[in-house]
Amino acid sequence: MSYATPYPDDEFLVEGALTRRCLAWVVDVILIAILVFVLWWILAAFGILTFGLGFGAMAILPFVPFFYHFLSLLSGPSATPGQQMFGLTVRRDYDLGPPDPLQALVSVIAFYLTLATSGLLLVVALFTTRHRTLHDLVSGLVVVRVPAMRALAAPSPGWNQGPGPYAS
């Protein structure tokens, strides 16, 4: 299915986004590692305090990265903290609106499936328009720069400057 994009210049929205995505991913990996580390200690203390009964709660640790990404995509900025740090946001490809829950779910599942297959499939972003990865293509999302989104949303000069010279 092909959509007519409402924005004039694709390159304007994604200029430099691929490099920023890679750097944002490194930041997100560090933040997830810190989060898992802290959560592990909290759950270990909980397990000790409950005389071993609480150690079963450690089963949630593998799901932390998934929920980190999923909830970040559904948040107001529609971006992970790493993406926010580098001025990126995740949007629907066809109208640049925020992702809906199904798109976020498909994106995160496809992302982790891509990582599970060695991550080499992420190289697709080098060859696609708007530098979209496989999980972007499957979910119908695109990662764009926040300043470009703001410039696109700003009214053009002369817009709504009040009544014209012939107003009565």
Side-chain angles (χ1 to χ4, degrees):
M1 181 180 284
S2 176
Y3 295 100
T5 57
Y7 39 94
D9 186 8
D10 288 344
E11 194 59 34
F12 174 68
L13 289 169
V14 297
E15 182 181 9
L18 191 58
T19 303
R20 292 170 189 222
R21 275 182 94 162
C22 294
L23 294 172
W25 181 79
V26 171
V27 170
D28 287 330
V29 166
I30 293 168
L31 291 175
I32 289 170
I34 292 169
L35 188 62
V36 168
F37 179 78
V38 169
L39 193 56
W40 187 90
W41 280 103
I42 290 170
L43 293 176
F46 178 67
I48 291 170
L49 290 173
T50 59
F51 300 108
L53 294 176
F55 284 122
M58 291 227 183
I60 67 169
L61 289 177
F63 299 103
V64 169
F66 175 84
F67 284 110
Y68 174 91
H69 282 97
F70 180 69
L71 296 174
S72 293
L73 288 181
L74 294 180
S75 69
S78 298
T80 64
Q83 289 170 335
Q84 290 176 45
M85 186 181 296
F86 287 96
L88 299 173
T89 186
V90 180
R91 296 294 176 181
R92 289 189 302 255
D93 183 43
Y94 59 91
D95 68 351
L96 296 180
D100 59 48
L102 181 61
Q103 285 178 310
L105 181 66
V106 169
S107 178
V108 173
I109 289 172
F111 173 68
Y112 282 107
L113 286 175
T114 302
L115 287 183
T117 60
S118 78
L120 285 177
L121 296 174
L122 294 173
V123 174
V124 168
L126 297 173
F127 306 106
T128 57
T129 57
R130 288 179 248 127
H131 304 293
R132 294 172 70 201
T133 58
L134 285 179
H135 59 276
D136 294 336
L137 293 168
V138 169
S139 62
L141 298 175
V142 63
V143 177
V144 297
R145 296 178 310 118
V146 172
M149 286 287 297
R150 286 189 188 127
L152 194 64
S156 60
W159 174 260
N160 198 12
Q161 295 294 322
Y166 302 109
S168 50

